[in-house]
Structures are given as C-alpha cells and as structure tokens.
Amino acid sequence: MNNRYGTLASLVYTLDKPVGRSFGDVEYYQQRLGGTEGLILEPAVGNGRVYVPLLEAGFPVEGFDASDEMLGYCRDACAKRNLSASVTRQTFEDFAYDKSFAAVIIPAGSFQLITETASAIAVLRRFYACMAPGAKLMIDLDPIGSFFGPASSVRRWKTEAGDLLTLTDHRGETDYVAQTTLSYLRYELWRDGGLVASELDLFKLRWWGVDEFSMALQRAGFVDVVASGNYQHQRAPRNDDEVITFEAVRPA
C-alpha cells in the first residue's frame, strides 16, 4: 500500500495546514532542539509546515519527502521567505545521506504511514545509522483512539482562485491484527458548479501502543526513550491526549 500526496491532496493539505500553522508542535520542537549542535533532518517534510519555521528560527534543517507536489509547496514557501531549501525526493525506505545528523524529527504522525512492522523497525534503524553518537530522535504518533472516529466525513476549502475543493473521507477497513486502518479519500475540485478534477487515494495508517513503540525504538538500538503527551515534555501520555511524542537517543 503506497500513501502519496498527489496534486489535489497536496493542495488540500496546504490549505488546511499552511506553513507555520502550529498544533503546539512548532514551538515544542524549537524548544526541544534548542542547543542542538549540528544538522537536523526532517523526513516526510511535506509542504514545510514545521520545516520553514525551523529554518526561520536559525536551525540548520534538511528534509526529504516522497511527494514531488508537497516538495514543490515547501520550496515555494522557502523562496517567498528568501530561505534556502535543502529538500530532496526520497522515501523512508531508501533515503541516503553522506553526512550525520544531530537530530531527526518526524512531527504530525507521518511515521504511521509505514504500515508494516518489519518495515517500521528497518526505518528506525536507518535513522539510527544516519545519526551521530548522542543524537536525538523525536517522533509524533497519533494515539490509538484517534483512529476510531466517524466512519465518513466531508470537508470543504476555497482556493485563492475561488474554486471549491472537497474531501470525502470514508473509512474502508480496520485490521485489528495488523493495527491498521484503510481510508478511501476522494478529492474533488469544483469550478462554476462543475467538477474539473478528482483524485482517489487509498490511505493506510498504522497505530502503535506506547510501550510497543518504546520497545521498537529500543530494538532499533536507541536508549533513554521518553514518551510525552500533548507536547508537555516528560508528562506521561493520557487517554485523552491528541498526540504522543517519543524521544530517544543514539548512544554516544
């Protein structure tokens, strides 16, 4: 199952989550990265929602993403701010760098796009391999409860040109053994009452238990694992949290 952001999906994401919009994560990552000496890597950088504010704050960040469309929005956002965008098209499974990073960050639950357990462990090990001794890994995960909301929904946005964009989200399958949900996402672009473009994405995500993911990080070689709820560092996760952030360290 390949999750990718095509033309309409990337536009919807950028309208809904523009560069700089924070859910508490932009400030949290800036605070937790304070004092970091060396390069920072953001896999699944997307449209630059977090990446660009980090660059503006003076952090040396590089990134990659599997979607050319999302990278286009990220580069445009950087160009408008006279920032140099060091982002490339790569995937979790095959990214490669000839340098080491002092930190790796994955906000917004993007790691859950990796739906096979073995693949997820392999990617964690790839992060480990590209990190310097003592470097920090930070990953946001959506809690399990967020995967069991309404079975279907419809959302709408207006583009700058006045067109209407709609997203119909229908949950198709839940695999309780594999811990995945599959949603059917239909993006439609309307102009003057007529449908001019549409996309259908099969969007699959995996959920993790707190202890389960902590053990996965340890299995990949990381130490000093801490899980924090709702961007309150070292506050143990709670049932009503909207996000859980894991931090771990590559041993020195």
Side-chain angles (χ1 to χ4, degrees), residues 135-155:
K136 181 189 299 182
L137 174 67
M138 303 173 63
I139 297 179
D140 285 352
L141 296 184
D142 296 325
I144 294 174
S146 67
F147 287 78
F148 300 100
S152 62
S153 64
V154 179
R155 301 181 65 194

Side-chain angles (χ1 to χ4, degrees), residues 2-20:
N2 294 320
N3 296 297
R4 72 174 297 273
Y5 287 88
T7 301
L8 296 185
S10 297
L11 178 55
V12 164
Y13 188 97
T14 299
L15 290 172
D16 190 55
K17 301 177 180 67
V19 167

Side-chain angles (χ1 to χ4, degrees), residues 99-113:
K99 63 190 75 173
S100 294
F101 293 91
V104 176
I105 65 168
I106 311 178
S110 298
F111 188 81
Q112 289 163 289
L113 294 168

Side-chain angles (χ1 to χ4, degrees), residues 4-195:
R4 72 174 297 273
Y5 287 88
T7 301
L8 296 185
S10 297
L11 178 55
V12 164
Y13 188 97
T14 299
L15 290 172
D16 190 55
K17 301 177 180 67
V19 167
R21 180 178 179 183
S22 178
F23 303 96
D25 50 358
V26 173
E27 298 82 2
Y28 183 83
Y29 277 91
Q30 289 182 354
Q31 190 273 327
R32 295 300 303 153
L33 291 170
T36 300
E37 296 183 0
L39 291 172
I40 299 164
L41 175 65
E42 184 183 353
V45 69
N47 69 337
R49 182 183 66 84
V50 175
Y51 175 83
V52 173
L54 288 177
L55 283 181
E56 290 180 310
F59 290 97
V61 193
E62 299 190 14
F64 69 80
D65 201 278
S67 168
D68 286 324
E69 290 85 353
M70 291 290 268
L71 288 172
Y73 285 112
C74 182
R75 293 186 180 110
D76 287 346
C78 288
K80 290 176 181 177
R81 295 163 174 80
N82 294 317
L83 298 169
S84 177
S86 183
V87 293
T88 55
R89 187 184 184 280
Q90 301 190 73
T91 69
F92 280 126
E93 292 78 14
D94 65 10
F95 74 89
Y97 289 92
D98 59 358
K99 63 190 75 173
S100 294
F101 293 91
V104 176
I105 65 168
I106 311 178
S110 298
F111 188 81
Q112 289 163 289
L113 294 168
I114 308 169
T115 56
E116 300 293 334
T117 304
S119 297
I121 299 295
V123 171
L124 290 176
R125 288 176 173 155
R126 292 181 69 83
F127 293 154
Y128 185 100
C130 79
M131 294 167 64
K136 181 189 299 182
L137 174 67
M138 303 173 63
I139 297 179
D140 285 352
L141 296 184
D142 296 325
I144 294 174
S146 67
F147 287 78
F148 300 100
S152 62
S153 64
V154 179
R155 301 181 65 194
R156 301 171 178 82
W157 296 264
K158 280 282 190 180
T159 70
E160 291 183 359
D163 296 333
L164 176 67
L165 268 169
T166 61
L167 167 58
T168 303
D169 180 350
H170 177 73
R171 182 167 299 137
E173 301 172 13
T174 299
D175 187 328
Y176 293 97
V177 174
Q179 298 174 208
T180 60
T181 56
L182 174 63
S183 296
Y184 299 88
L185 305 182
R186 179 174 291 280
Y187 299 89
E188 295 179 324
L189 177 65
W190 301 82
R191 182 176 301 144
D192 298 326
L195 179 65

